[in-house]
Amino acid sequence: MKAARLHEYKKPLTVEEVPTPTPGPGQVLVKIAGSGFCHSDLHVIDKEIELPLPLPLTLGHENAGYVAAVGKGVTMVREGDAVVIFGGWGCEACGPCVSGHEQLCDSPQWAGLSKWNGGYAEDILVPKESYLVKLSRLDPRRAAPLADAALTPYRAVKKALPFLEPDYKALVIGLGGLGQYGVKFLKILSGCELIAVDISDEKLKIARNDGAEHTLNGRDPDLREKVMDLTNGKGVCAAFDFVGSDQTLAAAVSVTRSLGKVTQVGLGGGTANLKVLANSRFEVAFEATLWGTLKELREVTALAENETLSLEETEFAPLDRINEVCERLKRGGVAGRIVVTP
Amino acid sequence: MKAARLHEYKKPLTVEEVPTPTPGPGQVLVKIAGSGFCHSDLHVIDKEIELPLPLPLTLGHENAGYVAAVGKGVTMVREGDAVVIFGGWGCEACGPCVSGHEQLCDSPQWAGLSKWNGGYAEDILVPKESYLVKLSRLDPRRAAPLADAALTPYRAVKKALPFLEPDYKALVIGLGGLGQYGVKFLKILSGCELIAVDISDEKLKIARNDGAEHTLNGRDPDLREKVMDLTNGKGVCAAFDFVGSDQTLAAAVSVTRSLGKVTQVGLGGGTANLKVLANSRFEVAFEATLWGTLKELREVTALAENETLSLEETEFAPLDRINEVCERLKRGGVAGRIVVTP
Amino acid sequence: MKAARLHEYKKPLTVEEVPTPTPGPGQVLVKIAGSGFCHSDLHVIDKEIELPLPLPLTLGHENAGYVAAVGKGVTMVREGDAVVIFGGWGCEACGPCVSGHEQLCDSPQWAGLSKWNGGYAEDILVPKESYLVKLSRLDPRRAAPLADAALTPYRAVKKALPFLEPDYKALVIGLGGLGQYGVKFLKILSGCELIAVDISDEKLKIARNDGAEHTLNGRDPDLREKVMDLTNGKGVCAAFDFVGSDQTLAAAVSVTRSLGKVTQVGLGGGTANLKVLANSRFEVAFEATLWGTLKELREVTALAENETLSLEETEFAPLDRINEVCERLKRGGVAGRIVVTP
Amino acid sequence: MKAARLHEYKKPLTVEEVPTPTPGPGQVLVKIAGSGFCHSDLHVIDKEIELPLPLPLTLGHENAGYVAAVGKGVTMVREGDAVVIFGGWGCEACGPCVSGHEQLCDSPQWAGLSKWNGGYAEDILVPKESYLVKLSRLDPRRAAPLADAALTPYRAVKKALPFLEPDYKALVIGLGGLGQYGVKFLKILSGCELIAVDISDEKLKIARNDGAEHTLNGRDPDLREKVMDLTNGKGVCAAFDFVGSDQTLAAAVSVTRSLGKVTQVGLGGGTANLKVLANSRFEVAFEATLWGTLKELREVTALAENETLSLEETEFAPLDRINEVCERLKRGGVAGRIVVTP
């Protein structure tokens, strides 16, 4: 099969022929329909995040496709089933794993980010059948981003539910692929009015279409004051920072009420600074959430299957041109997810 | 002022002239715009629920209106303000009161159900200004049912949020006034598909309009099996029984999954029977919720003010004809709330 | 190896020679040091609980011992390791399993209660190494009851933690093996004063030694009034019924405050009846908890290893005499756990 | 009556004669038995925290004493009752107040830190009787520190309960007055082994006596490594920083596991910096808790009344010498709380 492999950090991926894996007992081979190109892979390619393992490696952790072959003992799926693939594989033995938080495993075995190859390929070997979430209505090519671009903001919103009180407003900073899903999940799971912030007027418009009641341009020098005005001086009950820079985190912290929560989503690279009586109120909870659980992927998939969640616009690119995708993402300006198709 | 007073149990109310109260320090006099006639008042009039206090008493705990006069020290409202009135007044000192659950007070001082007269009158005396939730856009005549008919299911749904997992379905039994709001709040606050049950096809239609994906007629002898089929044999993650009879409670318990919750809403009069390995799975939580908190009324009002929550159709009846309202409710068949107006 | 097997319901177990299993990939063979005889096995033998599988079957789900052999790929344990065995095995794929509640699996694969043989034998085959919790200090013969007799009340108490407010008292009914652990865990995990109830004065004495501040005899006709007096009329914040009869459940419900919780622990066989405004306050949560999770067994074991939890007195009986143990348990009057040793 | 009043920032307090207040309706006059001198008052006197109100002001928010006179309508206390006084008074109308978090009021009316005078005086006027928690056994002179020195760590521990898993250890940094109570509450409310850190060997010894299983000296250059070793590389499930400097906060963040929590307690003045993939794991919750609620003070008082909580050693100083107390606290080295007595 063809695979796009990372042979050396800071170098383009090599699209080459590799042996197609054979599923062992309990394992499943999935023919990739689409593999979303996630921004975090850029960090890996550029060695900003270094993986503790030898290269080459096939990246790609946001995958969906069709079951191609099943190993011995597999009973839940059969050849031809359309599936989206949970990628946050773990050791199944550490504290996070046995409490249902496998993506937070002490020794992560993530698809495409560990010894297990990912989905920038024609096929992917999945070590356990329960990692597969079956699709009934959705096209797996379009469903691939559920596995990360939708799952990650879903968990962020779900963990903030106890803070989302409808007599307060919530704030979303950064309306790229994940942030847009953030807005959608906040409308699905809470009754809070939303204040959406981005530096792109086009993205603010998308947010309004997705239900955000208020939008502000992130370049506005009076941003903080405007948020406080919109909340009658009370501050927001929950802020979600999908940018994750020092500046956006500082803004999120400064406008969040006591008993509220600031969530950092994704690998932005900024530092959150919290100092009570200075830049933060008391009892503001802060947390940087990570990806989502298998259970949460089932929930996200159910929401997409029954159209409670509408999928974002997706662009497709063939596997052979994956390095062009990579370059375009580095340059920025890509509106939504680009899904790589074999 | 005119007031409809209960002089003797099991007798009609007497509409008569009584002195208009004068607000003391911190108190507020509110001119009633509307007072929803709640089914629980029938239980009181018929002495099924006996109040520990001497008659006569003006009933009516679901009130909204305009501030008519304020006592000394009142600063948050002024004459003419449109307000909905929180009615679950408490002692402000017991455990429930000081933890924000005043409606569950050990010594309830509820409006219209304690020494404090209620809103079946031209005016009502409110003992504390913070019990008033200001309206900006809504007409208080139409907003009165927020104080109970909407607030009660809101709390029931909110307390069940941790159980509402979108890869499972939720069940609503009974689609009268409260049940309809239950459906609405489930759609606002969760992503679960809903199964709505009633014996009236008209009410099932309303539920579908409000977003319920599945409806079943409560007279269907295969009701339980159909719910299990709709959930692929898994059962629902949460069931809300707005009828509260032995039969509906038994149905709700029998179709709820392990780790799920059954909520009884309102004063139905039935008994919940739970026996594991017989009629119930393990780890099915059961709770009969009561009314809502002041904080929750603020949340409900915010949802209605910004049109996230649409108000149900309401019928109005003049105070002089309150005993006719009473009779009609006893006979059943009233679709939504009847609001009494002075 | 020798095993005590159930060949026919309502008949004694047969102690006989069976082939010793060989661990397959990922599996572990454990030499049994002790297997606690759990009351629920009596229900199985007497066919009060019927298992959906053909006999014969080796019962015994409360096991500890020493690793005897490991299958391919096992890395966390090695031959000779002392271990306590989690027994609530599941399918690893259903909702409860993937959220960390394997003991509540939709298709339970429990040790000694499914196709997997249990620990009334010389050896037991464990399907997954992560089911083993390593012991460092404890003797596995004495540690076996951690796997159920301690684990079950631990989960019951842990799920009630949000209700355990130290300005209220908690109630424990039934001070047999599980109830005694219930008292201990309530003292370890909460600051509530305890009211312990049993019909045996000896067991009340043990409860006092374990820290229960108040004890009442269950035969006392004024039991309910005395509990209300001890709580200044407020009721308890949490009640734990380890008996689970209609009577004890009714008592527990009737003395629990609003915003409190009643937990039924174990397979008592009674029915909980809850009717607000009659025998129950509003917002009393009811739940029958089941066993515990693997994560919780790790927590219980940690508490026992560092002597925060003291083990109860245990009696030992050889495997050959297991039917005598069975008879004695049926007759009642056994103080603590009887552990079967090969 | 005599009162120690702040007339000018950065100047000593003036002990002078002022009129004794008369309680209005619902108010209570309490004769002070003891008023704990809290470190935060030093920040006020030195103008590091500036109060939004004109001087003079009588400080002192950690008070207990005897009811001296009651205003009209007061029914819960009577003259002579021993009481500890909740000090986090609020507006009773904002979001935090009506949800039971009055100490987090949007417009705080704290005793001794607002227009309401505090307890460095012979008497204090309490605006609402429910702020009083009655004592039955405890001497109010010794009980005064319950109102802050014990209440503050109690809330910090209570809000961290869902994170305190007994198969992980918890960390306490800083074993002054509040930190010592922190250790005690962790032993009362959780089963976690504790790692206690301070730079004073004497305080480490006290922590061991209070039940801390492990102690480390904060000057140890290998502190972080030793914590990781003690936790087998897993990190702690919860860290409590009672010092609150940049350094201690950084240490707490760096050793906390994913799914764990770091709590900053008190007004240390440091900044918490959190950057995932750099100094912090993912899903580490951070929060700076503030004081406690009235309900929590009732719980703390109940724990002290029944001797579940032992009171720390307290030193007493007469009101006339309050400026000496102030100077000693500034110099540091005061072991526990100093209680000012009229």
Side-chain angles (χ1 to χ4, degrees), chain A residues 43-79:
Chain A
H43 297 302
V44 172
I45 293 169
D46 289 347
K47 212 178 175 173
E48 289 161 25
I49 300 173
E50 195 170 348
L51 302 175
L53 49 97
L55 301 182
L57 177 73
T58 305
L59 301 175
H61 53 272
E62 188 181 273
N63 305 305
Y66 298 93
V67 171
V70 302
K72 202 178 148 187
V74 167
T75 60
M76 287 158 27
V77 290
R78 61 176 68 183
E79 211 186 306

Side-chain angles (χ1 to χ4, degrees), chain C residues 92-249:
Chain C
E92 304 185 51
C94 68
C97 276
V98 303
S99 62
H101 302 91
E102 204 167 331
Q103 87 282 7
L104 290 164
C105 176
D106 289 348
S107 320
Q109 302 296 318
W110 297 348
L113 291 164
S114 69
K115 69 175 187 228
W116 297 95
N117 283 305
Y120 299 157
E122 287 181 295
D123 298 275
I124 185 172
L125 182 65
V126 178
K128 210 166 64 164
E129 60 177 326
S130 61
Y131 292 143
L132 304 176
V133 180
K134 273 201 246 188
L135 300 172
S136 56
R137 196 185 59 79
L138 291 173
D139 172 0
R141 275 195 354 147
R142 296 201 60 224
L146 292 177
D148 184 342
L151 177 57
T152 297
Y154 179 75
R155 177 170 178 80
V157 171
K158 207 178 165 193
K159 285 195 85 173
L161 280 189
F163 299 84
L164 289 162
E165 308 184 11
D167 54 342
Y168 288 87
K169 293 180 176 64
L171 175 70
V172 179
I173 303 178
L175 301 168
L178 273 69
Q180 287 177 38
Y181 276 118
V183 168
K184 291 178 191 208
F185 287 125
L186 281 162
K187 297 313 291 183
I188 292 171
L189 297 176
S190 91
C192 288
E193 284 189 32
L194 302 186
I195 304 170
V197 174
D198 201 285
I199 54 174
S200 150
D201 287 332
E202 190 192 350
K203 288 182 179 169
L204 294 176
K205 192 176 158 193
I206 294 174
R208 280 193 296 274
N209 285 340
D210 284 337
E213 285 82 358
H214 313 275
T215 53
L216 293 170
N217 194 297
R219 300 203 198 278
D220 190 327
D222 300 325
L223 183 66
R224 194 190 163 283
E225 288 66 32
K226 288 189 177 167
V227 172
M228 293 311 287
D229 283 351
L230 279 170
T231 60
N232 299 317
K234 296 189 296 183
V236 298
C237 60
F240 300 85
D241 183 355
F242 288 89
V243 178
S245 68
D246 288 8
Q247 294 71 27
T248 52
L249 286 165

Side-chain angles (χ1 to χ4, degrees), chain A residues 49 95-96 101 104 155 159 168 257 259 267 269-276 282-290, chain D residues 95-96 101 104 155 159 168 257 259 267 269-277 282-290:
Chain A
I49 300 173
H101 302 92
L104 289 164
R155 176 170 179 80
K159 287 195 83 172
Y168 288 88
R257 71 179 287 243
L259 298 170
L267 310 177
T271 301
N273 298 296
L274 296 107
K275 180 171 181 170
V276 285
F282 277 97
E283 304 212 357
V284 169
F286 174 82
E287 183 182 10
T289 59
L290 180 71
Chain D
H101 301 92
L104 290 164
R155 176 170 179 80
K159 286 195 83 172
Y168 288 88
R257 71 179 286 243
L259 299 170
L267 309 176
T271 301
N273 298 296
L274 295 107
K275 179 170 182 171
V276 286
L277 293 175
F282 277 97
E283 305 214 355
V284 170
F286 175 82
E287 183 182 11
T289 59
L290 180 72

Side-chain angles (χ1 to χ4, degrees), chain A residues 42-43 46 69 109 129 143 172 182 186 189 223 261 267 279 296:
Chain A
L42 296 185
H43 297 302
D46 289 347
Q109 303 294 319
E129 60 177 325
V172 178
L186 281 161
L189 297 176
L223 182 66
K261 181 174 183 179
L267 310 177
N279 73 333
E296 287 161 349

Side-chain angles (χ1 to χ4, degrees), chain C residues 19 54 75 84 150 173 198-199 235 265 267 269 287 319 333:
Chain C
T75 60
V84 59
I173 303 178
D198 201 285
I199 54 174
V265 197
L267 310 177
E287 183 182 10
L319 183 56

Side-chain angles (χ1 to χ4, degrees), chain D residues 131-318:
Chain D
Y131 292 144
L132 304 176
V133 181
K134 274 201 246 188
L135 299 172
S136 58
R137 196 186 59 79
L138 289 173
D139 173 359
R141 274 197 355 147
R142 293 200 62 223
L146 292 177
D148 184 342
L151 176 57
T152 297
Y154 180 74
R155 176 170 179 80
V157 171
K158 207 178 166 193
K159 286 195 83 172
L161 281 189
F163 298 85
L164 289 161
E165 308 184 10
D167 54 342
Y168 288 88
K169 294 181 175 64
L171 176 69
V172 178
I173 303 178
L175 300 169
L178 274 70
Q180 287 177 39
Y181 276 119
V183 167
K184 290 178 191 208
F185 287 125
L186 281 162
K187 297 314 293 182
I188 292 170
L189 297 176
S190 91
C192 288
E193 285 190 29
L194 302 185
I195 304 170
V197 175
D198 201 286
I199 54 174
S200 149
D201 287 332
E202 190 191 350
K203 289 182 178 167
L204 293 177
K205 193 176 158 192
I206 294 174
R208 279 193 298 273
N209 285 341
D210 284 339
E213 285 82 358
H214 313 275
T215 53
L216 293 171
N217 193 297
R219 298 200 199 280
D220 191 327
D222 299 325
L223 182 66
R224 193 190 165 283
E225 287 67 31
K226 288 187 177 168
V227 172
M228 293 310 288
D229 284 351
L230 279 169
T231 60
N232 300 317
K234 295 190 296 184
V236 299
C237 60
F240 299 86
D241 183 355
F242 288 89
V243 177
S245 68
D246 289 7
Q247 292 73 24
T248 52
L249 287 164
V253 166
S254 71
V255 299
T256 301
R257 71 179 286 243
S258 276
L259 299 170
K261 180 174 182 179
V262 175
T263 306
Q264 181 181 358
V265 197
L267 309 176
T271 301
N273 298 296
L274 295 107
K275 179 170 182 171
V276 286
L277 293 175
N279 73 333
S280 165
R281 286 165 195 73
F282 277 97
E283 305 214 355
V284 170
F286 175 82
E287 183 182 11
T289 59
L290 180 72
W291 211 345
T293 67
L294 168 54
K295 181 65 169 55
E296 286 161 349
L297 180 57
R298 292 184 184 183
E299 297 173 8
V300 166
T301 304
L303 290 170
E305 282 281 351
N306 70 16
E307 300 188 85
T308 301
L309 174 71
S310 61
L311 294 179
E312 288 173 17
E313 285 310 305
T314 305
E315 186 186 334
F316 297 98

Side-chain angles (χ1 to χ4, degrees), chain B residues 49 95-96 99 101 103-104 106 155 159 168 234 257-259 264 266-267 269-277 282-290, chain C residues 49 95-96 99 101 103-104 106 155 159 168 234 257-259 264 266-267 269-277 282-290:
Chain B
I49 299 173
S99 61
H101 302 91
Q103 87 282 8
L104 291 163
D106 290 348
R155 177 169 178 80
K159 285 196 85 173
Y168 289 88
K234 296 190 295 183
R257 71 179 286 243
S258 275
L259 299 170
Q264 180 181 359
L267 309 177
T271 301
N273 298 296
L274 295 106
K275 179 171 181 171
V276 285
L277 292 175
F282 277 98
E283 306 215 355
V284 170
F286 174 82
E287 183 182 9
T289 58
L290 179 72
Chain C
I49 299 173
S99 62
H101 302 91
Q103 87 282 7
L104 290 164
D106 289 348
R155 177 170 178 80
K159 285 195 85 173
Y168 288 87
K234 296 189 296 183
R257 71 179 286 242
S258 276
L259 299 170
Q264 179 180 0
L267 310 177
T271 300
N273 299 295
L274 295 107
K275 179 171 182 170
V276 285
L277 293 174
F282 277 98
E283 305 213 356
V284 170
F286 174 82
E287 183 182 10
T289 58
L290 179 71

